[in-house]
Amino acid sequence: MYAFTFATAPQIIAGPGCIARLSELKTRLGSRILVISDEGVVKAGLVQPAITSLSGGGAEISIFTGVVADPPEAIVHAAVAQAVGFGATGVLGIGGGSSLDVAKLVALLAKSGEALGNIYGVGNVTGQRLPLVLVPTTAGTGSEVTPISIVTTGAHQKKGVVSPILLPDAALLDANLTIGLPPAVTAATGIDAMVHAIEAFTSASANNNPVSRTLAKEALRLLGANIEIAVKTGTDLAARQAMLLGAMLAGQAFANSPVAAVHALAYPIGGHYHVPHGLSNSLVLPHVLRFNASECGDAYAELAPCIFPHLEPAGQAERLSGFIEGLAMLPMRLNLPVRLRDVGIPREGLPLLAQSAMEQTRLLVNNPRPVSLSDAAGIYEAAW
Ligand SMILES: NC(=O)c1ccc[n+]([C@@H]2O[C@H](COP(=O)([O-])OP(=O)(O)OC[C@H]3O[C@@H](n4cnc5c(N)ncnc54)[C@H](O)[C@@H]3O)[C@@H](O)[C@H]2O)c1
Ligand SMILES: [Fe+2]
């Protein structure tokens, strides 16, 4: 029986140069638009074209560029204060997942007045948000189409706010904005997107649905065919646009069929050792795939030719091993670190990582195979 729900952003505008079409969305954002981004994105010259498209016609623009990677609560509070002080009528988020996640929360909190501390978790938001448009400059998180914002709370923990109200009014995918993304960030964020598709496809969620599974396969085709080109020839506009599309499709997939143990084990690595989100995922991915293989053999075999077309004629067993080992080799092909020790994590740190991973219950419940504390420790040990 096909019983499920599927929600996504109502409008997607895609194509190289489409940032100019922000002007079409201007009236929706009102006369006082707050632009949210980070210094790296500003330095890359990506915010100015957005401001140019939004300017004119009497619209006033205020810019908050204080977002940092894995944004802490204090950044959200500062951006909300700016929005309220400015009297923002709409919010534009432009940047990687960090900037988009902050923009989503600012659009909500500046209007609803809710306390951030009260809305962590699934379905705890009660208020409305300001009009919101999101423009990704990494092809990774898919945040532009997910009902999720991830915030770093305290020193080490990450928490998510999950509510359909966080889906934006529109998302713009312009490959011109990702041309200057450095190879290591392109690689890590691209693997993050692949993990979204894989985990959505195999999610144990009751809402794992045929729309998400279809999108996940197409996402893996696009990401698999283009990730190496985008990393090695960053100026290849077609590969960059395909990566943005793949990341967005993966985002739509996992927004409705949520991610699981790869993300649950990746978050503590980012929280404790400030390893970027995509790289944290990449470091544990093959080990979680091996752990899950007993439950996901058919699913992984089905996904294998999407990323590795040469596996199309292969039998089930060969597809399964080709999928896992192919993904284990991918970071090497993309010049990413492969082991936890390569990113400065000491072996003594592994038990604490395992304990922290067990707190990611929102994600662990979606894993196709239950993960115990000793399982998590074993996966980190293998990844070390
Ligand atoms: N909301 C969601 O659904 C969701 C999903 C997965 C991850 N996340 C969160 O997203 C965050 C990670 O986002 P991310 O991986 O996109 O990275 P990011 O937003 O943290 O950006 C990483 C770095 O890349 C730079 N950068 C971004 N675009 C650039 C460009 N085009 N050119 C040059 N430099 C550029 C930024 O300045 C920054 O220094 C984490 O906080 C993670 O938890 C959210
Ligand atoms: Fe992710």
Side-chain angles (χ1 to χ4, degrees):
M1 294 274 273
Y2 295 120
F4 63 92
T5 61
F6 186 88
T8 192
Q11 188 176 12
I12 311 293
I13 298 177
C18 75
I19 191 75
R21 294 183 60 193
L22 262 182
S23 57
E24 295 170 25
L25 306 171
K26 207 161 60 179
T27 49
R28 258 191 263 171
L29 291 171
S31 57
R32 299 180 74 78
I33 303 168
L34 179 65
V35 176
I36 297 203
S37 193
D38 72 26
E39 286 296 342
V41 174
V42 174
K43 278 204 192 89
L46 306 176
V47 175
Q48 194 50 50
I51 291 172
T52 305
S53 304
L54 290 174
S55 299
E60 274 196 53
I61 291 167
S62 171
I63 308 171
F64 178 89
T65 58
V67 176
V68 296
D70 306 306
E73 287 179 316
I75 300 282
V76 177
H77 294 314
V80 171
Q82 184 167 330
V84 172
F86 174 61
T89 55
V91 175
L92 173 81
I94 175 164
S98 300
S99 294
L100 304 191
D101 282 5
V102 172
K104 289 154 96 170
L105 286 173
V106 171
L108 172 68
L109 300 178
K111 171 136 181 174
S112 77
E114 281 165 284
L116 180 55
N118 291 343
I119 59 171
Y120 289 118
V122 182
N124 295 323
V125 175
T126 53
Q128 294 300 305
R129 63 159 171 77
L130 295 172
L132 174 68
V133 174
L134 298 177
V135 182
T137 64
T138 62
T141 68
S143 176
E144 68 276 12
V145 288
T146 71
I148 306 165
S149 276
I150 308 286
V151 179
T152 302
T153 58
H156 302 303
Q157 231 201 346
K158 279 190 149 196
K159 284 190 185 165
V161 178
V162 184
S163 163
I165 199 79
L166 295 178
L167 285 169
D169 298 296
L172 259 83
L173 311 180
D174 183 344
N176 284 333
L177 306 184
T178 62
I179 286 293
L181 196 64
V185 187
T186 304
T189 50
I191 290 183
D192 183 30
M194 293 171 98
V195 174
H196 295 157
I198 295 166
E199 294 212 285
F201 193 85
T202 56
S203 181
S205 159
N207 201 49
N208 184 333
N209 65 86
V211 183
S212 287
R213 289 196 297 276
T214 305
L215 295 175
K217 288 172 87 170
E218 184 58 18
L220 288 175
R221 279 191 198 96
L222 288 160
L223 297 165
N226 289 285
I227 191 166
E228 210 162 341
I229 305 170
V231 169
K232 295 187 175 155
T233 316
T235 52
D236 188 315
L237 204 56
R240 290 292 197 178
Q241 193 69 45
M243 290 297 291
L244 271 175
L245 178 57
M248 187 206 70
L249 296 176
Q252 291 177 319
F254 92 88
N256 295 280
S257 177
V259 292
V262 180
H263 274 75
L265 272 74
Y267 278 133
I269 298 173
H272 288 275
Y273 296 100
H274 301 291
V275 175
H277 174 73
L279 180 54
S280 305
N281 272 290
S282 170
L283 289 163
V284 293
L285 172 64
H287 309 285
V288 176
L289 293 178
R290 287 185 192 116
F291 175 79
N292 281 345
S294 59
E295 305 301 316
C296 297
D298 290 347
Y300 292 163
E302 187 175 345
L303 293 179
C306 300
I307 310 180
F308 308 110
H310 69 276
L311 291 172
E312 185 69 58
Q316 216 255 11
E318 198 187 328
R319 278 185 174 200
L320 176 58
S321 64
F323 180 73
I324 296 176
E325 299 320 315
L327 283 168
M329 298 296 289
L330 185 59
M332 283 170 244
R333 285 178 22 218
L334 303 177
N335 296 319
L336 286 178
V338 176
R339 300 173 304 181
L340 295 180
R341 71 182 83 174
D342 301 335
V343 296
I345 298 178
R347 196 169 190 179
E348 313 81 76
L350 302 185
L352 181 59
L353 288 180
Q355 272 170 27
S356 301
M358 297 315 288
E359 289 165 20
Q360 297 288 336
T361 48
R362 171 178 79 85
L363 302 169
L364 288 174
V365 291
N366 302 319
N367 202 57
R369 181 177 167 191
V371 182
S372 68
L373 179 63
S374 70
D375 293 332
I379 293 169
Y380 282 127
E381 193 66 40
W384 193 77

